[in-house]
Amino acid sequence: MTSRLKQLRKKLKINQTNFAKQLGLTQTAYSMIENGINPLADRHIKVICSVYNVNEDWLRTGSGEMFSGSPYEKEFTNIFSHLAPETQQYLLLMARELLHTQEKLLGSDEEE
């Protein structure tokens, strides 16, 4: 898991100090985890997965994709869940129209 922690941190372009702060750790304590000296606590794994949208299975075992989905997916789902049913229907209609417009635009680019 230590190599995946470093890989994730580099992918996010975050230094050890700032990554450690998100976990409530000092840079020294986090460095000892990343270097395999100390284990990463389950609560820190949960924080990493929640804050950075990381696939927990990937972090623990290396299986699957690094991220659970698009970085916007979690935020969109959260916003959508707070909308009234009528507004959700309207948003879905608008999203379908946007997708249709995108397909038309991309389709016309391919024909040229």
Side-chain angles (χ1 to χ4, degrees):
M1 182 171 8
T2 58
S3 64
R4 287 185 297 282
L5 278 173
K6 186 173 185 175
Q7 182 183 355
L8 172 65
R9 190 174 54 74
K10 296 287 185 182
K11 177 81 171 177
L12 295 170
K13 298 178 180 164
I14 300 174
N15 63 31
Q16 283 188 346
T17 302
N18 291 330
F19 199 77
K21 282 181 186 176
Q22 283 289 335
L23 302 177
L25 298 170
T26 64
Q27 184 276 328
T28 303
Y30 177 76
S31 178
M32 293 175 78
I33 291 169
E34 198 172 275
N35 288 312
I37 298 167
N38 290 334
L40 183 64
D42 280 342
R43 71 177 183 271
H44 294 129
I45 291 172
K46 298 291 184 191
V47 169
I48 291 168
C49 294
S50 175
V51 170
Y52 299 109
N53 200 32
V54 172
N55 176 349
E56 187 172 340
D57 192 39
W58 175 84
L59 185 57
R60 289 181 183 274
T61 68
S63 298
E65 298 293 321
M66 182 184 291
F67 297 102
S68 296
S70 155
Y72 308 108
E73 187 175 343
K74 185 176 180 180
E75 180 181 8
F76 183 83
T77 303
N78 184 43
I79 291 169
F80 189 83
S81 70
H82 287 89
L83 297 173
E86 299 81 19
T87 310
Q88 288 178 345
Q89 289 176 336
Y90 180 74
L91 182 57
L92 285 173
L93 175 66
M94 296 306 295
R96 284 187 197 106
E97 287 298 319
L98 183 58
L99 180 60
H100 180 69
T101 301
Q102 175 181 284
E103 288 170 348
K104 284 173 45 178
L105 290 171
L106 292 177
S108 66
D109 286 347
E110 291 174 2
E111 293 173 8
E112 293 177 3

